């Protein structure tokens, strides 16, 4: 008990709030599910009456919650992949292959002292991480994860994405100013300058794509790229993709453009004075941003949730109802037979192994096979499962690319950074726009 | 300690913002959209007042951003998300950031408490009265039913109007902006060469 109370005493205020909030939320969720399950009818009727509001609330909650595992996963990927590229071992203490280290990082951040410098502006100092994190969460709203699996489909989706992404600049400026530290202020100003500069080629680079597609709804853009992978916009807009990817790297503050908090050179830029969970929010927002920009690249240029080629209808769509009495027999017999069949090789070949061990092993193998088959069945019969898998697979390829770039490329200088944006990227984006417009005039869409 | 002050302030603000919405939803019998509009309007008025009354100039600038965001929300509720997105993109993403930038580069925390803009109370009062008169005249002289119809124009209709009927003014405005940019760069560069 004393251990618990000591650990509790070490938590900072946000830590205490979060540790009480998580069980409360879990209990509330279970209670809600139970109430809906028991009462059934009237609740569903009431829900369908307020369908739009309810859908919005559920979507907002899901979006807020999925940022946590996403960030944890990307932080772990970054630690482990960079370690492998540097010929190090990387995290290997907590959990299998160190997978739980990012959870420990999260707990650590909650227990650290949450420090506000004297003469800082406490209100703005506290709100700045919220603005940065909020702006990146808000952009998640328009991301289409799978057919029918998106929070909101705006007909101005892409514009909304850029507008909300631009809000992060305000948060960085707030952080830099309110820290009451010259270096924080300079860091905030230079990160704002960088992000404002790179917003221009970023927005211009998708203008050609919008001319081709004729819509700004991200959902519609993804739907336009269905069929073979040659329909992906990257093949019609290679230059646009290149500019978009470079600009987005700068927007997400990733190497080689991570000048906003060049860890090894200028302490931490705008975040110098931050500690505890308030720094944690900046950290979190960065990794959520990596996911978001990868997902946006995939949605715009790499077909989003579309498979690279149309699957031949390998959907032997099982219709379990048609089996009749055989279905019941199958449910009763198949696990038994499957377990025995799968344990047979061990029984026959490993004489040192006792029979019960072989049977347990067979049961485990049978379960693995069933889960695999269930996955295949879900992939084939539900559109959104296949879509989600393709989308996440492509997205994590780009997340890996960002990590790879961080392990490989050196950082650029600030004047090189600005010169590159204004002298190369912007003219290239304009050229891309002109060529696309000309091609559309000559060839048609 | 300090935390209680902020909690109290938040509660007060929430009360100011939500009370009119509850009145609209309850006794007045408005819809969800009406309540949303009232909340956003209240937020805009509160933050607008904060802009002109607060002493700390950075907080004024941030309150201005809140004001712009609330206005964008009102555009969204009124049914033109394109204008709302443009509002956020231009006014919050560009203009407010530029204003904050300028303040941060020129001001310091130990600025004189009697700020420059507060010494011109007389002219400002005259200007306020004139603007109030003009707004009153415009509000009373407008047929609001027609305007509400016109607000709900979609993005494509807006584009058609802008690029077909009003293409010449549009292009002239863009050339004017280009001239302003070139002039700004010229002035900034010349000063550097002289010194």
């Amino acid at each position: 008990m004393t251990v618990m109370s000591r650990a509790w005493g070490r938590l900072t205020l946000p830590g205490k709030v979060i540790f009480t909030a998580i069980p409360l939320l879990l209990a509330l969720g279970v209670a809600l599910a139970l109430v809906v399950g028991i009462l059934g009818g009237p609740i569903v009727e009431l829900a369908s009456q307020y369908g739009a509001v309810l859908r919005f609330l559920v979507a907002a909650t899901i979006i807020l919650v999925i940022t946590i595992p996403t960030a944890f996963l990307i932080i772990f990927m970054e630690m482990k992949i960079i370690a492998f590229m540097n010929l190090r071992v990387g995290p290997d203490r907590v959990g299998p292959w160190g997978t739980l280290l990012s959870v420990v990082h999260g707990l650590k951040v909650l227990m650290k002292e949450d420090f506000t410098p004297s003469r800082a502006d406490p209100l703005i100092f506290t709100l700045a991480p919220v603005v940065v994190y909020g702006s990146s969460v808000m952009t998640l709203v328009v991301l289409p994860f799978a057919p029918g699996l998106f929070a909101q489909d705006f007909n101005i989706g892409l514009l909304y994405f850029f507008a909300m992404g631009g809000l992060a600049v305000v948060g960085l400026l707030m952080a830099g100013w309110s820290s009451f530290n010259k270096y924080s202020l300079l860091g905030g100003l230079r990160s704002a300058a960088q992000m404002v500069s790179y917003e221009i080629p970023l927005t211009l680079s998708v203008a050609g794509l919008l001319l081709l597609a004729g819509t700004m709804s991200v959902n519609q853009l993804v739907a336009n790229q269905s069929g073979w992978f040659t329909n992906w916009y990257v093949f019609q807009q290679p230059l646009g993709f290149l500019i978009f990817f470079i600009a987005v790297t700068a927007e997400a503050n990733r190497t080689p453009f991570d000048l906003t908090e060049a860890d090894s050179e200028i302490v931490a830029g705008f975040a110098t004075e931050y500690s505890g969970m308030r720094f944690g929010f900046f950290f979190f927002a960065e990794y959520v941003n990596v996911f978001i920009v990868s997902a946006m690249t995939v949605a715009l240029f790499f077909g989003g949730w579309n498979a690279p080629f149309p699957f031949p209808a390998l959907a032997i769509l099982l219709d379990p109802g048609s089996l009749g009495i055989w279905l019941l027999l199958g449910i009763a017999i198949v696990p038994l037979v499957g377990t025995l069949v799968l344990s047979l090789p061990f029984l026959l070949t490993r004489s040192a192994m006792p029979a019960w061990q072989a049977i347990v092993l067979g049961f485990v193998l049978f379960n693995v096979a069933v889960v695999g088959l269930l996955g295949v069945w879900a992939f084939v019969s539900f559109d959104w499962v296949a879509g989600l898998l393709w989308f996440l697979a492509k997205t994590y390829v780009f997340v890996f690319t960002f990590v790879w770039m961080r392990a490989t490329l050196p950082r650029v200088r600030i004047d090189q950074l600005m010169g590159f944006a204004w002298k190369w990227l912007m003219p290239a984006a304009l050229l891309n726009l002109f060529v696309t417009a000309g091609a559309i005039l000559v060839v048609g869409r | 300690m300090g935390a209680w002050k902020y909690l109290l302030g938040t509660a007060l603000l929430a009360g100011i913002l939500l009370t009119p919405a509850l009145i609209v939803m309850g006794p007045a019998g408005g819809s969800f959209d009406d309540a949303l509009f009232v909340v956003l309007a209240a937020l805009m008025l509160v933050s607008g007042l904060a802009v002109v009354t607060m002493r700390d100039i950075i907080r004024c600038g941030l309150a201005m951003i809140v004001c712009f965001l609330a206005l964008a929300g009102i555009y969204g509720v009124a049914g033109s998300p394109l204008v709302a997105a443009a509002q956020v993109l231009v006014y919050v993403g560009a203009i407010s950031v530029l204003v904050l930038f300028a303040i941060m580069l020129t001001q310091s925390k130990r600025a004189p408490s009697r700020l420059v803009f507060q010494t011109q109370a007389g002219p400002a009062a005259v200007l306020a009265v004139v603007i109030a008169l003009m707004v009153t005249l415009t509000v009373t002289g407008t047929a609001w039913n027609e305007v509400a119809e016109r607000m709900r124009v979609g993005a494509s209709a807006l584009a058609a109007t802008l690029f077909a009927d009003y293409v010449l003014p549009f292009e002239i405005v863009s050339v004017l902006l280009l001239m302003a940019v070139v002039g700004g760069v010229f002035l900034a560069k010349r000063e550097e060469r002289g010194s």
Side-chain angles (χ1 to χ4, degrees):
Chain A
M1 224 33 230
T2 49
V3 178
M4 291 294 284
S5 64
R6 213 186 312 149
W8 177 258
R10 280 204 194 127
L11 279 178
T12 53
L13 186 66
K16 278 174 183 159
V17 170
I18 285 173
F19 272 96
T20 42
I22 287 173
L24 265 179
L25 280 179
L26 274 179
L28 269 180
V30 171
L32 198 68
L34 277 179
V35 165
V36 171
I38 293 167
L39 290 181
I43 296 274
V44 172
E45 222 164 78
L46 198 70
S48 59
Q49 207 175 349
Y50 291 98
V53 178
L54 203 70
R55 188 182 186 286
F56 172 77
L57 284 181
V58 170
T61 316
I62 291 177
I63 278 175
L64 267 177
V65 169
I66 60 164
T67 55
I68 298 170
T70 307
F72 279 178
L73 182 62
I74 298 178
I75 290 170
F76 173 72
M77 269 177 74
E78 178 145 293
M79 289 187 292
K80 202 70 179 174
I81 293 173
I82 291 184
F84 281 149
M85 287 178 179
N86 293 352
L87 301 180
R88 288 184 284 118
V89 177
D92 68 339
R93 295 289 132 171
V94 198
W97 302 287
T99 37
L100 292 180
L101 188 63
S102 32
V103 179
V104 176
H105 269 308
L107 294 180
K108 176 194 77 179
V109 147
L110 283 175
M111 296 200 174
K112 273 186 169 178
E113 185 188 0
D114 203 3
F115 180 75
T116 310
S118 60
R119 305 202 56 191
D121 191 333
L123 181 64
I124 301 177
F125 191 73
T126 311
L127 282 181
V130 178
V131 172
V132 172
Y133 181 68
S135 81
S136 52
V137 172
M138 297 269 267
T139 51
L140 267 175
V141 169
V142 289
L143 277 184
F145 285 87
L149 199 65
F150 48 82
Q152 192 75 47
D153 185 23
F154 294 124
N155 60 355
I156 49 145
L158 209 54
L159 208 58
Y160 171 88
F161 177 78
F162 291 134
M164 286 301 146
L167 280 185
V169 180
V170 178
L172 299 184
L173 279 176
M174 283 163 74
W177 171 265
S178 60
S179 298
F180 200 62
N181 174 341
K182 283 197 188 83
Y183 302 103
S184 287
L185 179 59
L186 285 176
L189 286 178
R190 77 195 228 151
S191 55
Q194 170 185 339
M195 288 183 78
V196 169
S197 307
Y198 273 85
E199 245 162 48
I200 294 163
L202 180 68
T203 317
L204 275 176
S205 69
V206 294
L209 191 150
L210 293 181
L211 282 184
L212 278 177
T215 175
M216 266 201 274
S217 150
V218 186
N219 230 348
Q220 194 57 47
L221 280 169
V222 172
N224 281 354
Q225 305 175 56
S226 61
W228 283 86
F229 65 90
T230 43
N231 287 350
W232 292 356
Y233 281 127
V234 64
F235 295 110
Q236 296 171 42
Q237 291 279 312
L239 186 61
F241 161 67
L242 209 63
I243 298 163
F244 182 83
F245 192 68
I246 294 173
V248 118
T249 313
E251 285 282 310
N253 299 327
R254 299 289 299 177
T255 326
F257 305 119
D258 64 339
L259 289 158
T260 55
E261 47 166 321
D263 342 42
S264 49
E265 285 156 36
I266 51 168
V267 198
F270 61 90
T272 306
E273 297 289 354
Y274 279 89
S275 63
M277 197 53 211
R278 279 185 279 195
F279 176 74
F281 265 114
F282 283 126
F283 198 65
F284 229 71
E286 182 184 338
Y287 287 98
V288 174
N289 257 333
V290 170
F291 176 79
I292 288 169
V293 297
S294 310
M296 209 54 185
T297 316
V298 166
L300 292 184
F301 293 99
F302 286 87
W305 33 258
N306 289 304
F309 45 86
F311 276 103
L314 74 138
I316 320 150
L317 274 172
L318 276 174
D319 185 11
S322 67
L323 289 173
I325 190 73
W326 293 105
L327 181 68
L328 285 177
L329 279 178
I331 287 174
I333 290 174
V334 163
L336 204 64
V337 174
T339 307
L340 285 180
V341 165
L342 284 172
S343 60
L344 213 59
F346 298 102
L347 273 175
L348 293 179
T349 55
R350 307 289 292 273
S351 54
M353 190 182 271
W356 66 268
Q357 262 185 13
I359 286 175
V360 166
L361 211 59
F363 186 64
V364 169
L365 277 180
F366 173 74
N367 278 320
V368 169
V370 164
V371 168
L373 281 178
L374 269 181
V376 170
W377 174 75
F379 186 89
V380 169
S381 42
F382 293 112
D383 244 5
W384 66 268
V385 174
L388 188 63
L389 284 178
W390 278 115
F391 179 77
L392 286 183
K394 289 182 203 170
T395 303
Y396 276 95
V397 168
F398 278 95
V399 170
F400 174 79
T401 313
F402 277 118
V403 175
W404 188 11
M405 274 159 55
R406 171 147 189 192
T408 317
L409 295 176
R411 190 174 294 135
V412 299
R413 251 181 11 233
I414 182 94
D415 58 321
Q416 293 169 334
L417 178 93
M418 300 302 253
F420 187 62
W422 292 102
K423 290 179 191 156
W424 293 99
L425 283 186
M426 208 175 88
L430 284 173
L431 179 75
N432 183 42
L433 180 58
F434 277 125
V435 169
T436 312
I440 286 175
L441 272 185
V442 174
V443 194
R445 267 182 197 150
Chain B
M1 306 182 311
W4 293 113
K5 210 169 63 184
Y6 287 114
L7 278 179
L8 202 68
T10 315
L12 197 68
L13 194 65
I16 292 173
L17 293 184
L18 291 182
T19 317
L22 287 178
I23 291 172
V24 166
M25 283 278 270
S31 68
F32 190 67
D33 272 7
D34 294 340
L36 209 58
F37 172 78
V38 171
V39 169
L40 287 169
L43 180 63
M44 202 171 94
L45 288 179
V46 168
S47 55
L49 261 181
V51 173
V52 289
T53 50
M54 280 194 302
R55 284 340 257 294
D56 188 341
I57 191 164
I58 289 288
R59 285 193 179 190
C60 292
L62 294 174
M64 190 171 76
I65 289 177
V66 175
C67 186
F68 285 154
L69 283 177
L71 186 58
I74 287 178
Y75 287 144
V77 171
S80 51
L82 183 72
V83 183
Q87 166 84 10
V88 175
L89 211 58
V90 174
Y91 281 92
V92 179
I95 291 181
S96 302
V97 168
L98 207 67
V99 168
L100 284 183
F101 226 92
I103 295 170
M104 287 183 185
L105 283 176
T106 52
Q107 293 270 328
S108 80
K109 275 235 155 168
R110 270 166 279 173
S113 60
R114 229 157 52 94
L115 289 167
V116 181
F117 59 86
Q118 281 171 331
T119 59
Q120 300 170 336
V126 174
L127 211 62
V129 169
V130 170
I131 289 177
L133 275 177
M134 282 164 68
V135 168
T136 321
L137 282 179
T138 334
V139 166
T140 48
T142 311
W144 286 100
N145 295 332
E146 274 177 43
V147 176
E149 299 269 308
R150 234 180 292 154
M151 269 291 279
R152 292 191 184 269
V153 169
S156 52
L158 184 68
T161 318
L162 201 58
F163 290 107
D165 299 348
Y166 295 100
V167 68
L168 188 65
F170 181 81
E171 291 298 331
I172 290 175
V173 165
S174 59
V175 170
L176 184 72
L177 285 177
L178 184 69
M179 277 161 62
V181 170
V182 172
V185 171
F186 177 71
L187 287 177
K189 279 287 171 193
R190 190 176 57 177
E191 198 178 9
E192 189 183 313
R193 203 174 296 144
S195 62

